[in-house]
Amino acid sequence: MLPDLPPLPALTRAEAELVDRYLEVVDLVGRINPARGELTYGGLRAAQALVSSATALRDALTLMHRRGESEVHAPTLARALRVLDGERRTRRVTVPPPSQS
């Protein structure tokens, strides 16, 4: 049985692209994080992929700006990030507490 997740909030196509690309970058930075990594090759591959992912993130923001979406609706986007497991995914970017080292 699937867990009962809250629905994804209504987003513009550009906002959805922003959220997707942001989480893609976060996942890659989490794989590069030297405090959590194990192998240099995995970090190297993630760093190589980060270039194109960061470009896609920039492009999503550029598209929003060109369309006149000048404000980021943070509460709505935060809800979307939570539904997409953003809290867990962003934890990999941080330095773990000393007890986990």
Side-chain angles (χ1 to χ4, degrees):
M1 178 170 213
L2 294 174
D4 192 22
L5 296 174
L8 194 62
L11 303 173
T12 67
R13 187 173 293 178
E15 286 174 328
E17 185 72 13
L18 170 62
V19 168
D20 288 343
R21 299 298 69 84
Y22 171 76
L23 288 173
E24 186 176 284
V25 166
V26 164
D27 289 340
L28 291 169
V29 172
R31 287 177 43 202
I32 297 166
N33 185 349
R36 296 188 182 269
E38 294 178 16
L39 301 173
T40 57
Y41 186 71
L44 173 62
R45 295 296 305 228
Q48 291 168 335
L50 184 59
V51 176
S52 62
S53 295
T55 300
L57 176 58
R58 181 207 57 206
D59 293 346
L61 286 162
T62 300
L63 179 62
M64 287 179 72
H65 181 71
R66 285 187 184 152
R67 288 184 175 174
E69 296 181 47
S70 58
E71 294 181 22
V72 174
H73 301 283
T76 303
L77 296 177
R79 262 187 34 228
L81 289 169
R82 283 188 194 95
V83 170
L84 296 170
D85 204 19
E87 290 173 320
R88 179 192 59 80
R89 293 163 78 175
T90 56
R91 259 185 258 135
R92 293 203 56 202
V93 174
T94 64
V95 177
S99 62
Q100 293 181 3
S101 310

